[in-house]
Amino acid sequence: MRPLRNRWTALAAALALTALAGCTAEGGDDGDGSAAADSTTEVASELEGVENFYGEYGDFVTAMAAVQEGQVTPEDLEYPFVVQQDHVDVAGGTYVPPDYELRPPAGGDHLSAWQACTGSVYPDPIVDGNGVHSMEHGAVWLTYDPALVDGDGIALLASKIEGRDYSLMSPYPEQGVAVSLQSWGNRYQTDDLDDPMIEDYLDTYILNERFNPEPNATCSGGVTTTAP
């Protein structure tokens, strides 16, 4: 199965499908769209070292359009989570927390509440399902392993997040690498706290229209609690 080549046709199809499912159906999840419209970026070329989980389809827009047009099913994708956006806590029946293939996760079914991601730095781990919802809105989630990053290192990382809308940061015990940056369908990991790719990733993937499933959703007003 070949990926779609007409990006704008794919974008229209993906946005139409997203409007029928996911957050907007639940209400209270739409922003005014101005931040997304002003901040979208185009990836001229893939950043070296970034893991992309869309396989041959390359991005959310193309993958979702292929699913909608019947070219592929989510189950046929190597990483189905890139097109899975259900709210697992509002579907009815017994709530079962999503079981993420990647930890930290980089997309997939999630909780109906997003984690506030307005340059938010959390001192304790957050609930995965809330963080995934933030990424659905176009945020980049920076996590660090507290066993590998000390106080000065935490402050250095926090300085890259604070004041940067559509980003958030939290510790993620046992992730096994000092720093992990994840956005919907993409991830970059490094043990170098001064790695310039940290800034490059934030600049490139925050509100990126190729990978953001809900380009008009807000990052404010989300939950600010940490994991129990």
Side-chain angles (χ1 to χ4, degrees):
M1 289 166 285
R2 294 183 301 171
L4 297 180
R5 296 181 182 275
N6 188 322
R7 182 178 170 280
W8 294 109
T9 298
L11 176 60
L15 294 182
L17 182 63
T18 302
L20 297 175
C23 299
T24 55
E26 301 305 324
D29 216 14
D30 290 326
D32 60 12
S34 59
D38 292 341
S39 303
T40 52
T41 56
E42 187 72 29
V43 181
S45 60
E46 297 294 337
L47 294 177
E48 183 177 356
V50 171
E51 297 175 87
N52 179 299
F53 300 108
Y54 293 95
E56 65 179 301
Y57 296 97
D59 56 43
F60 175 82
V61 169
T62 308
M64 185 61 87
V67 170
Q68 185 184 34
E69 295 183 3
Q71 297 183 32
V72 67
T73 67
E75 292 73 24
D76 290 332
L77 298 174
E78 183 177 2
Y79 296 99
F81 68 79
V82 296
V83 293
Q84 294 171 337
Q85 297 175 254
D86 287 342
H87 293 171
V88 296
D89 53 342
V90 296
T94 303
Y95 164 59
V96 178
D99 184 15
Y100 293 111
E101 182 174 357
L102 302 180
R103 295 180 65 85
D109 294 338
H110 48 269
L111 301 179
S112 57
W114 62 95
Q115 194 79 22
C117 42
T118 54
S120 311
V121 176
Y122 296 94
D124 299 306
I126 65 173
V127 176
D128 280 352
N130 298 132
V132 170
H133 195 152
S134 300
M135 291 188 290
E136 184 186 39
H137 288 194
V140 169
W141 181 14
L142 185 155
T143 56
Y144 63 92
D145 191 328
L148 301 175
V149 182
D150 62 14
D152 289 341
I154 294 170
L156 174 62
L157 294 174
S159 71
K160 303 176 188 296
I161 297 297
E162 292 171 333
R164 190 192 294 258
D165 205 6
Y166 285 86
S167 72
L168 68 161
M169 168 178 156
S170 66
Y172 205 99
E174 300 181 1
Q175 73 178 15
V177 63
V179 182
S180 183
L181 294 120
Q182 37 277 329
S183 52
W184 195 276
N186 293 283
R187 180 176 70 178
Y188 178 73
Q189 298 184 321
T190 180
D191 284 312
D192 181 4
L193 303 188
D194 292 311
D195 189 339
M197 273 287 291
I198 295 175
E199 292 278 2
D200 290 345
Y201 190 99
L202 291 163
D203 291 341
T204 299
Y205 288 96
I206 286 176
L207 286 177
N208 188 293
E209 64 180 18
R210 285 179 55 194
F211 304 106
N212 180 8
E214 295 190 354
N216 294 318
T218 182
C219 243
S220 62
V223 299
T224 57
T225 54
T226 54

